[in-house]
Amino acid sequence: MDFEHTIQALTQQAKEAIRQSRELSALAALSTTEISDAMQGENGMDSSIRPIDPASRLIGPAVTIQLPAGDSLLTGEAVGQAKPGDILVINTGGSESSAVWGDVKTIRAIKQGIGGLVTDGAIRDITSIRALGFPVFSKHVIPKASKHQGGGEVNVPILCAGVTVCPGDIVFGDENGVVVIPAQKLSEVIQKANEKKAQDGAKIKRILAGSDQ
């Protein structure tokens, strides 16, 4: 690739980053319920995935991690690969035998600028993680730590809590749960969610005015 093409590629990457940043800012003004409605109820994770702090919110591109049951060595590599604002999404196959995340990894993730974590597996050290203010959504909590023997993959399509998550998909979690927006549909979903939000707002006004039948 010559210099001119390199500059063009970098310029395109910069434009794409700016576009996504604007869209994520627009997404932050919405809720997972509005996003779910915009996607006709699709791509919502199982109700068992809950925030350790009900006030937690996370929004960002997914870094996906496929782990073997009972092992979490690969999470360290994923933290190293992640960019600021990324969300780690870990599939363990629903394993509850040992925790794949705790306070030490949380501190590393915060230093890396990572925006949060979602897993269908187990975590631990939730008091410390809450105090650190790091958004974590998980299925299980258990004191037992996982092994560090290896195995698994980073940034491959995974199935987490009933939803297929691809690297770069947008993960959005709040007190209602977690939804996943395919990256290529982000603009469309935001537009539909804003339309639904406006419709609901108008309906509430009619109800309060006593004119909704």
Side-chain angles (χ1 to χ4, degrees):
M1 182 180 289
D2 60 29
F3 180 74
E4 182 178 349
H5 288 158
T6 300
I7 293 299
Q8 289 176 350
L10 290 173
T11 300
Q12 184 59 39
Q13 290 175 13
K15 288 180 178 178
E16 176 62 21
I18 291 170
R19 180 194 63 78
Q20 188 176 82
S21 177
R22 288 173 177 168
E23 289 177 335
L24 293 181
S25 294
L27 194 59
L30 297 164
S31 69
T32 56
T33 56
E34 290 155 349
I35 296 300
S36 179
D37 290 346
M39 295 193 294
Q40 303 297 311
E42 299 294 324
N43 281 33
M45 289 191 178
D46 295 342
S47 61
S48 59
I49 306 298
R50 304 302 306 162
I52 62 170
D53 181 348
S56 290
R57 279 170 63 93
L58 55 77
I59 301 173
V63 170
T64 59
I65 310 165
Q66 177 70 52
L67 291 180
D71 196 281
S72 65
L73 179 63
L74 201 60
T75 55
E77 178 181 329
V79 169
Q81 290 186 21
K83 299 176 182 177
D86 283 348
I87 306 299
L88 302 180
V89 184
I90 302 175
N91 176 37
T92 69
S95 174
E96 57 183 303
S97 61
S98 58
V100 299
W101 194 263
D103 55 2
V104 173
K105 292 178 182 178
T106 295
I107 292 169
R108 290 175 178 163
I110 291 171
K111 288 190 67 177
Q112 192 76 7
I114 292 170
L117 172 108
V118 178
T119 180
D120 66 353
I123 65 164
R124 67 181 195 166
D125 301 319
I126 61 173
T127 299
S128 298
I129 296 173
R130 283 196 194 108
L132 289 164
F134 187 73
V136 172
F137 290 65
S138 71
K139 186 173 183 178
H140 305 292
V141 177
I142 191 171
K144 179 183 175 182
S146 56
K147 297 179 181 179
H148 288 76
Q149 297 176 335
E153 296 179 275
V154 174
N155 275 334
V156 295
I158 62 172
L159 183 66
C160 184
V163 176
T164 297
V165 187
C166 295
D169 284 349
I170 304 303
V171 184
F172 185 3
D174 63 15
E175 67 273 18
N176 296 296
V178 178
V179 293
V180 179
I181 308 170
Q184 70 275 15
K185 294 185 177 180
L186 181 56
S187 297
E188 174 189 349
V189 169
I190 290 174
Q191 180 180 345
K192 289 182 178 180
N194 277 317
E195 291 171 356
K196 181 64 165 59
K197 184 177 182 179
Q199 291 169 4
D200 286 349
K203 186 173 184 179
I204 289 170
K205 286 182 179 178
R206 291 196 301 271
I207 292 171
L208 293 174
S211 58
D212 185 69
Q213 300 298 326

